[in-house]
Amino acid sequence: MSDISVIGIGNVGRLIINKINEFNNKIQTIYITKDQDEIKECYANIILNLTENAEKKLEQIIFRKRIFVVGHIGEKEWNQVNVEICQKLKKENKEVNEICSFPFTFEGRTALNSASDIIRILNKELDQLIIIDCDLILRDVDRKMSIKEAFKLVAEILYSNLQDTFRNVELKYQNLVVDCNEKCEEMRKREIRMKEISEELDGTCCLMMRKRKIREE
């Protein structure tokens, strides 16, 4: 898992970043915010404040091979940051994936339209895009909750999806290792067999030469 970077955007991204750092310190975590108070409550390896020339700082970060962007899409300013990050990383030939949540209806038409626009853009830019519909989350839990509780639940579900993706990546890597080991074992057996055949041929040649020498004598 040391080849993974996770970029958290906004409050939901911060909640996910904190959970990652609680359970896995091998993953590089980057948090992007514009709220000084949120910075104090985030445990990311790298924190970028949008009000302090974040773009220049972003260029100085050495990202790892696989990158996951996590957060809640909706607010236009955050969506623009999201797109710029993904486009920059794709230019560097990074593998960029995103797991995000689509706005609740109560966030308003502007947020819903902005989210729809960014999805169309990101779908072309990313290697993988996973979208969680917030309205479906509320429907499935079938109970009333505060806005704060709702977004906390969204973060939990996004984090769960992120963990599943990590496991799939790890499983894929393990399968590749197994496949490689099987091929190595196959090559080793082939090498042993070739050596046996060579020894058999040498033995046969020696026997034929002895018989020929006896005949000549």
Side-chain angles (χ1 to χ4, degrees):
M1 287 306 165
S2 58
D3 67 339
I4 290 177
S5 295
V6 177
I7 303 173
I9 297 178
N11 185 50
V12 170
R14 174 180 61 83
L15 295 174
I16 296 169
I17 289 290
N18 285 351
K19 288 189 72 66
I20 291 172
N21 281 358
E22 185 179 349
F23 296 106
N24 194 328
N25 57 10
K26 293 181 180 179
I27 294 174
Q28 180 192 45
T29 52
I30 300 113
Y31 178 52
I32 299 177
T33 184
K34 56 183 178 180
D35 189 324
Q36 193 65 35
D37 291 332
E38 287 183 357
I39 292 176
K40 299 174 185 176
E41 299 174 359
C42 185
Y43 311 119
N45 304 137
I46 301 168
I47 297 177
L48 300 181
N49 190 335
L50 286 182
T51 61
E52 298 175 359
N53 199 358
E55 186 177 344
K56 187 174 181 180
K57 292 180 181 179
L58 194 65
E59 291 175 355
Q60 297 172 353
I61 299 174
I62 301 175
F63 290 94
R64 296 178 182 172
K65 183 179 178 182
R66 291 187 179 89
I67 299 165
F68 292 85
V69 180
V70 292
H72 181 71
I73 59 176
E75 189 177 340
K76 192 170 183 179
E77 182 181 1
W78 281 126
N79 291 349
Q80 184 62 35
V81 172
N82 194 333
V83 170
E84 288 174 359
I85 290 171
C86 292
Q87 289 175 338
K88 174 188 181 300
L89 295 173
K90 287 305 292 183
K91 285 179 182 177
E92 297 177 7
N93 296 317
K94 299 288 186 181
E95 178 189 316
V96 187
N97 312 274
E98 177 150 349
I99 300 177
C100 60
S101 50
F102 193 82
F104 293 99
T105 300
F106 63 68
E107 292 179 68
R109 185 173 295 278
T110 301
L112 295 171
N113 290 340
S114 179
S116 298
D117 290 340
I118 190 179
I119 286 171
R120 281 193 289 270
I121 298 171
L122 292 177
N123 203 35
K124 299 176 183 177
E125 299 285 345
L126 300 171
D127 292 276
Q128 178 182 217
L129 176 60
I130 298 174
I131 304 165
I132 308 299
D133 191 327
C134 289
D135 282 345
L136 291 180
I137 293 173
L138 284 185
R139 186 196 69 183
D140 290 341
V141 297
D142 195 29
R143 66 183 178 87
K144 292 182 178 181
M145 59 176 64
S146 66
I147 294 176
K148 185 176 180 179
E149 288 175 327
F151 279 112
K152 189 174 180 181
L153 180 58
V154 168
E156 291 282 350
I157 292 173
L158 290 180
Y159 175 72
S160 177
N161 276 272
L162 190 62
Q163 289 293 90
D164 289 342
T165 306
F166 288 165
R167 280 191 287 270
N168 290 337
V169 169
E170 189 172 18
L171 183 60
K172 182 179 178 182
Y173 172 75
Q174 289 173 349
N175 289 339
L176 287 173
V177 171
V178 170
D179 184 55
C180 181
N181 289 338
E182 288 175 351
K183 289 188 184 303
C184 289
E185 180 64 19
E186 183 182 327
M187 291 296 291
R188 189 182 69 82
K189 289 179 180 177
R190 187 179 300 174
E191 187 178 338
I192 292 172
R193 180 57 186 150
M194 291 297 291
K195 187 176 180 181
E196 290 173 348
I197 292 172
S198 177
E199 289 174 350
E200 289 173 5
L201 290 173
D202 287 343
T204 303
C205 290
C206 289
L207 181 60
M208 290 174 65
M209 289 178 69
R210 283 198 297 272
K211 287 181 178 179
R212 184 184 298 174
K213 188 174 183 180
I214 290 171
R215 284 200 302 271
E216 289 175 351
E217 291 176 351

